[in-house]
């Protein structure tokens, strides 16, 4: 059977964090029930014929998936049952908001087959968390302790460049989090983008891009010293603990996205659901599938180059102009690793420029 990865977007949040431009709506029980009805319907209409595929990985993100009640999770799992592989998917990740974490919740999620937790820690600095409109460091610590009692495979999200904090504050955050010995870190620089409200725009006006870059290099050094492999621009893992789901994205594999704002890539076709819960709820069955927006895409060769350079696997240099590669090697932005070329930590900071230059001067 053909392997397939599945992404489910849960659009609910109890509040908007200062920096967030991802699609979400306020959580409400009536909305949740209607959303799950629609999601179950979309699963039935959009999933391939049972027996043709096997779910390799599942990632439930948002929004805040942990706003869902146990009855909602049970309905989703029942809907996925025809495609459930023997022994479960290789990786089943759920993003968790530390404020939502309880012993009962994580035990329940583990019981339905979740085997990887992604905790949105962001910062362990009191003022920084207030700026981000996140929970206190104490709530973070309590959530970490609960989740790590239940899950072996845990990832922490950390933000760089948080206003009203310093480089030293980030160092203390990383130092404290490393003490818990998670298998994985995702480290993101605060960067404006997407559909931003005026409030989010005001927040990003206080973000210093130079400090984000400086903290990124410091985080790369710190996590490497702690034994984490920098295997993708924003991701660090203990050996063998890389995110299998995200690897599918970077390797150009097939994945299906369900829920409002979810993106998909199947058999060379790319499409996405409108980022509107109202529009998502207004359709059903084949009409919801037909309403997906096709992505015209771009230059396939440029995309392969970009995806390859995002990871420590890099790319084969045969199709790249040697002079350009050598120039970037001299600048410390690229490095040869066996028969491949990959970006350095400094190179990741200017990845778009590298891809542009290398693609412009690559051989045909």
């Amino acid at each position: 059977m053909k392997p397939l990865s599945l992404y489910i977007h849960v659009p609910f949040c109890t509040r908007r964090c200062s920096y967030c431009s991802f699609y979400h709506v306020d959580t409400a029980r009536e909305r949740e029930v209607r959303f799950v009805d629609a999601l179950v319907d979309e699963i039935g209409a959009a999933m391939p014929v049972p027996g043709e595929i096997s779910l390799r990985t599942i990632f439930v993100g948002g929004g805040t998936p942990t706003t869902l009640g146990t009855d909602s999770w049970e309905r989703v799992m029942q809907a996925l049952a025809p495609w459930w592989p023997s022994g479960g998917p290789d990786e089943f990740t759920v993003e968790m908001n530390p404020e939502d974490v309880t012993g009962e919740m994580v035990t329940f999620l583990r019981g339905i087959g979740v085997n990887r937790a992604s905790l949105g820690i962001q910062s362990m600095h009191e003022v920084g968390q207030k700026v981000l409109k996140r929970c206190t460091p104490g709530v973070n610590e309590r959530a970490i302790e609960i989740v790590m009692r239940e899950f072996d495979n845990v990832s922490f999200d950390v933000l760089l460049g948080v206003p009203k904090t310093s480089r030293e504050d980030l160092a203390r955050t990383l130092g404290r989090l490393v003490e818990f010995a998670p298998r994985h870190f995702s480290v993101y620089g605060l960067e404006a983008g997407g559909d931003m409200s005026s409030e989010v725009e005001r927040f990003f006006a206080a973000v210093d891009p130079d400090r984000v870059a400086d903290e990124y290099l410091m985080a790369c050094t710190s996590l490497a010293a702690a034994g984490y492999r920098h295997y993708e621009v924003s991701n660090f893992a203990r050996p063998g603990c890389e995110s299998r789901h995200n690897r599918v994205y970077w390797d150009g594999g097939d994945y299906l996205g369900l829920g409002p704002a979810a993106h998909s890539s199947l058999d060379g076709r790319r499409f996405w659901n409108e980022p509107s819960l109202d529009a998502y709820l207004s359709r059903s069955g084949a009409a919801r599938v037909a309403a997906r927006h096709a992505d015209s895409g771009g230059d396939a060769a440029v995309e392969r180059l970009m995806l390859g350079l995002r990871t420590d696997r890099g790319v084969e240099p045969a199709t790249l102009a040697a002079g350009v590669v050598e120039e970037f090697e001299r600048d410390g932005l690229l490095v040869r690793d066996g028969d491949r070329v990959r970006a350095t930590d400094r190179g990741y900071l200017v990845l778009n420029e590298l891809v542009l230059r290398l693609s412009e001067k690559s051989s045909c």
Side-chain angles (χ1 to χ4, degrees):
M1 289 189 290
K2 186 177 180 180
L4 178 69
S5 289
L6 182 66
Y7 173 78
I8 297 175
H9 188 81
V10 178
F12 303 116
C13 286
T14 55
R15 66 174 180 273
R16 179 187 282 274
C17 299
S18 302
Y19 55 91
C20 183
S21 58
F22 289 111
Y23 176 69
H24 81 279
V25 296
D26 293 339
T27 186
R29 178 59 182 172
E30 183 270 340
R31 279 179 171 173
E32 178 182 330
V33 172
R34 294 182 65 205
F35 164 72
V36 173
D37 286 343
L39 178 61
V40 167
D41 181 71
E42 187 182 19
I43 290 170
M47 289 287 285
V49 176
E52 292 184 357
I53 65 99
S54 178
L55 288 173
R56 176 199 295 174
T57 68
I58 302 174
F59 194 107
V60 186
T64 313
T66 46
T67 61
L68 295 181
T70 56
D71 57 334
S72 294
W73 283 104
E74 287 170 346
R75 290 194 60 208
V76 173
M77 297 304 296
Q78 183 177 9
L80 290 175
W83 296 273
W84 199 256
S86 177
D90 293 340
E91 184 181 272
F92 184 175
T93 302
V94 172
E95 289 183 345
M96 299 183 185
N97 179 4
E99 290 179 85
D100 300 332
V101 169
T102 65
E104 294 77 13
M105 182 198 77
V106 296
T107 298
F108 170 80
L109 291 176
R110 183 68 174 173
I112 63 172
V114 177
N115 58 17
R116 184 174 184 269
S118 178
L119 264 177
I121 300 299
Q122 315 313 353
S123 174
M124 295 297 282
H125 187 270
E126 190 84 34
V127 174
Q129 288 291 85
K130 287 182 180 178
V131 170
L132 297 171
K133 294 186 178 179
R134 301 288 294 180
C135 63
T136 66
V139 171
N140 276 340
E141 294 220 10
R142 177 192 62 82
I144 291 169
E145 291 169 356
I146 293 172
V147 168
M148 295 195 74
R149 282 200 298 266
E150 192 69 41
F151 291 96
D152 295 325
N153 198 357
V154 179
S155 178
F156 294 163
D157 283 359
V158 177
L159 285 176
L160 310 174
V162 179
K164 298 187 179 180
T165 67
S166 67
R167 188 177 190 273
E168 290 70 29
D169 294 327
L170 173 64
R172 282 189 284 271
T173 285
L174 292 174
R176 179 67 184 116
L177 294 178
V178 164
E179 291 177 5
F180 290 102
R183 292 187 179 181
H184 191 280
F185 278 91
S186 292
V187 179
Y188 302 109
L190 283 168
E191 183 177 1
D195 183 16
M196 297 193 301
S197 66
S198 57
E199 182 181 1
V200 176
E201 287 179 347
R202 287 194 297 272
F203 170 84
F204 277 103
V207 176
D208 179 358
D210 290 335
R211 186 160 75 86
V212 171
D214 178 62
E215 290 188 356
Y216 177 79
L217 295 176
M218 185 270 284
C220 292
T221 300
S222 176
L223 291 174
Y228 293 88
R229 173 186 167 199
H230 190 187
Y231 73 97
E232 193 271 343
V233 173
S234 301
N235 290 280
F236 304 76
R238 299 288 187 191
C241 299
E242 299 83 1
S243 169
R244 298 185 183 184
H245 182 87
N246 288 340
R247 274 288 191 196
V248 173
Y249 299 155
W250 305 320
D251 291 347
D254 282 348
Y255 58 91
L256 176 65
L258 303 177
H263 286 241
S264 305
S265 179
L266 288 176
D267 300 322
R269 298 176 298 110
R270 293 196 170 185
F271 47 90
W272 47 278
N273 288 345
E274 186 177 351
S276 167
L277 181 60
D278 289 340
Y280 184 75
L281 297 177
S282 70
R283 304 182 180 100
S284 63
R288 182 177 290 111
V289 173
R292 298 183 301 198
H293 297 264
D295 189 342
S296 58
D299 188 307
V302 173
E303 181 172 303
R304 287 194 298 272
L305 175 61
M306 182 274 292
L307 291 173
L309 285 178
R310 284 188 67 92
T311 76
D312 66 351
R313 294 178 181 176
V315 296
E316 294 180 353
T319 59
L320 305 176
V324 180
V325 173
E326 290 168 358
E327 174 190 340
F328 288 143
E329 283 185 291
R330 288 193 298 270
D331 292 341
L333 304 177
L334 290 178
V335 64
R336 293 185 185 270
D337 191 352
D339 60 351
R340 300 180 74 83
V341 173
R342 61 177 176 82
T344 64
D345 292 343
R346 286 184 56 233
Y348 284 141
L349 289 172
V350 291
L351 186 60
N352 289 341
E353 180 182 346
L354 291 182
V355 171
L356 179 63
R357 290 281 311 283
L358 290 167
S359 61
E360 286 179 343
K361 299 197 177 184
S362 61
S363 58
C364 298

